[in-house]
Amino acid sequence: KLEVEGQKLKWLVFPGLFAGGVLDIMTKLLLETIRMKPPAKAKILDFCCGSGTIAAAMSVRTEEPRLHLLDADAVALEAAKSNVPTAKNFWLSDRWASLPETERFDWILSNPPVHLGLQHDFSVLSALIDQAPARLKPGGRAVFVVQTYVPVGFMSPKGHPGVSRLWSDERFTVWQMLSE
């Protein structure tokens, strides 16, 4: 069972999945930082969804959410399908590759990976930052959490006002980007 938004949910995980079926500290901080409810029927993308923790929290928090989940790991996506059965779409995708270019969201939420094995790898985060503003509906927002050492400010796309910090401590930072 996974406790999300004060509710204990039946939770499926497979060996090797991130966080092993518990709410990891960074996702918990992301969810606590964005305490507001998305608008009713909001179209929400859980980018790099893993087993679907963020989408599950939004399903509890939001009235009639339209949830979409994306991950490059087929095993994680299978767990997410079981954990968030009400989601509209599940995309097996390396970054944005399989997501139709016309898809737009009210909210994009993520705890993206910033390493590959033991090596730092900001390519997924960079793709998120680069394309999220264009993937948002007018008035939309993208919110994501990373370790504080990650140079997010230097990854902001040209011609976009960039990202702003919503919350930070010496270990983690929650960032926000608004629609173009």
Side-chain angles (χ1 to χ4, degrees):
K1 298 223 178 233
L2 177 74
E3 187 167 335
V4 178
E5 300 290 308
Q7 293 189 21
K8 290 190 179 185
L9 306 173
K10 183 178 173 188
W11 206 253
L12 175 67
V13 292
F14 296 108
L17 291 185
F18 175 72
V22 298
L23 185 61
D24 69 280
I25 189 169
M26 290 173 60
T27 300
K28 183 176 188 263
L29 290 170
L30 171 73
L31 295 171
E32 287 174 354
T33 300
I34 54 167
R35 286 304 315 161
M36 81 239 357
K37 287 184 173 187
K41 299 183 182 181
K43 187 174 180 182
I44 301 169
L45 174 64
D46 184 347
F47 186 87
C48 299
C49 67
S51 63
T53 308
I54 294 171
M58 292 299 106
S59 73
V60 172
R61 189 184 290 186
T62 311
E63 183 182 330
E64 298 181 52
R66 293 174 295 148
L67 300 168
H68 301 259
L69 291 81
L70 177 150
D71 204 285
D73 183 333
V75 174
L77 210 55
E78 283 304 310
K81 287 177 183 178
S82 176
N83 295 330
V84 191
T86 58
K88 301 290 183 195
N89 286 301
F90 296 88
W91 282 290
L92 178 60
S93 183
D94 184 12
R95 303 173 194 127
W96 301 99
S98 298
L99 190 71
E101 288 190 30
T102 56
E103 287 287 343
R104 298 294 179 268
F105 302 93
D106 296 298
W107 282 22
I108 299 171
L109 303 172
S110 188
N111 177 359
V114 293
H115 59 272
L116 185 58
L118 298 175
Q119 300 298 317
H120 295 302
D121 181 351
F122 302 145
S123 60
V124 174
L125 174 62
S126 182
L128 172 63
I129 292 170
D130 185 51
Q131 293 190 33
R135 298 291 187 143
L136 292 168
K137 292 180 178 182
R141 58 191 283 182
V143 183
F144 56 95
V145 61
V146 294
Q147 293 89 346
T148 299
Y149 72 83
V150 177
V152 170
F154 294 106
M155 296 181 192
S156 182
K158 293 179 182 174
H160 188 273
V163 296
S164 59
R165 282 188 189 118
L166 291 179
W167 179 90
S168 187
D169 69 6
E170 59 276 350
R171 296 184 311 157
F172 310 113
T173 302
V174 177
W175 297 89
Q176 173 179 263
M177 297 183 79
L178 301 176
S179 61
E180 296 180 326

